[in-house]
Amino acid sequence: MKKYFAEFFGTFWLVFGGCGSAVLAAGIPELGIGYAGVSLAFGLTVLTMAYAVGHISGGHFNPAVSVGLMVGGRFDKKDLFPYIAAQVVGAIAAGAVLFAIASGIPTFDASAGFASNGYGEHSPHGYGLVSALLIEIVLTAFFLFIIMGATDKRAPAGFAPIAIGLCLTLIHLISIPVTNTSVNPARSTGVALFQGGWAIGQLWLFWIAPIVGGVIGALCYRFVADEK
């Protein structure tokens, strides 16, 4: 059970740190951390937890990563659903704690967004469904490609969390304006449930696109890295 708890805590930290930076620290006039700060926060959550518990669970913290690694031959399918369950529960727990903290000021309104992912009128800059679908697939594919490359037995040992954390930072720098950046169905679910409206209605895209992207990225890496 320890690896499932590791996934729970890792995903909790990712959602609390990443979405928490967006909800609590990004929008303060003149002092807020902005898109760049939120991007770095997401990258740091993965980097720190990958070092903390990666040796216990593999440090997935993301259903799309678990599915991709399974397709890539790096993860046993018998653990897939327990991992996804632990990740989603961890994300929801983080959303609940963040909601409780953010509710400490009278102006807080979760229905305004609560760091949820969206497209169309709920995209930060109005990008439509096709744009959201494409960017989530492409970025998750490259995320899996880099994860598999950085953790390959032929790669330099000990540096994988740095590469993966920086990759997630770059992903957010690219795509926050489009979808608020998911590439992680658990992250999307953990805050959508507390937004309570449109975010739940659009949640399907942020499950389907990252998982499709994860599978594509894993297959591409297997093709490139095949030593035969």
Side-chain angles (χ1 to χ4, degrees), residues 1 13 16 22 24 58 80 82 92 97-98 105 111 131 139 149 161 164 174 177 194 204 214-216 218-219 227:
M1 292 294 293
W13 186 235
F16 186 76
L24 303 176
L80 180 63
I92 294 171
V97 174
L98 180 58
I105 57 173
S111 66
S131 295
L139 291 179
I164 295 166
I174 296 167
F194 294 93
W204 65 271
V215 170
I216 292 171
L219 292 174
E227 295 180 291

Side-chain angles (χ1 to χ4, degrees), residues 11-103:
T11 313
F12 181 103
W13 186 235
L14 184 151
V15 174
F16 186 76
C19 295
S21 70
V23 172
L24 303 176
I28 303 170
E30 298 180 4
L31 298 175
I33 61 175
Y35 286 173
V38 173
S39 300
L40 182 60
F42 271 101
L44 289 173
T45 62
V46 169
L47 188 156
T48 52
M49 269 297 176
Y51 274 121
V53 299
H55 55 286
I56 299 171
S57 69
H60 299 188
F61 320 139
N62 181 340
V65 170
S66 296
V67 172
L69 291 176
M70 182 190 71
V71 171
R74 299 278 191 88
F75 182 57
D76 194 330
K77 63 182 180 181
K78 71 179 176 61
D79 282 326
L80 180 63
F81 290 109
Y83 263 54
I84 291 175
Q87 292 156 0
V88 171
V89 172
I92 294 171
V97 174
L98 180 58
F99 182 87
I101 293 169
S103 298

Side-chain angles (χ1 to χ4, degrees), residues 152-179:
D152 194 303
K153 62 184 179 182
R154 294 166 289 177
F159 294 99
I162 298 173
I164 295 166
L166 289 175
C167 176
L168 191 60
T169 299
L170 176 58
I171 284 170
H172 280 77
L173 287 171
I174 296 167
S175 61
I176 286 178
V178 183
T179 61

Side-chain angles (χ1 to χ4, degrees), residues 189-218:
T189 303
V191 289
L193 296 181
F194 294 93
Q195 192 282 330
W198 58 262
I200 296 175
Q202 296 190 350
L203 187 58
W204 65 271
L205 185 145
F206 302 104
W207 273 88
I208 293 174
I211 288 174
V212 170
V215 170
I216 292 171

Side-chain angles (χ1 to χ4, degrees), residues 116-191:
S116 296
N117 303 114
Y119 56 85
E121 64 179 308
H122 304 298
S123 159
H125 291 271
Y127 288 86
L129 187 152
V130 174
S131 295
L133 190 68
L134 283 173
I135 201 164
E136 290 289 333
I137 290 173
V138 170
L139 291 179
T140 313
F142 275 95
F143 193 33
L144 260 294
F145 192 95
I146 290 164
I147 288 171
M148 291 188 68
T151 57
D152 194 303
K153 62 184 179 182
R154 294 166 289 177
F159 294 99
I162 298 173
I164 295 166
L166 289 175
C167 176
L168 191 60
T169 299
L170 176 58
I171 284 170
H172 280 77
L173 287 171
I174 296 167
S175 61
I176 286 178
V178 183
T179 61
N180 229 10
T181 309
S182 172
V183 301
N184 185 335
R187 169 260 188 270
S188 298
T189 303
V191 289

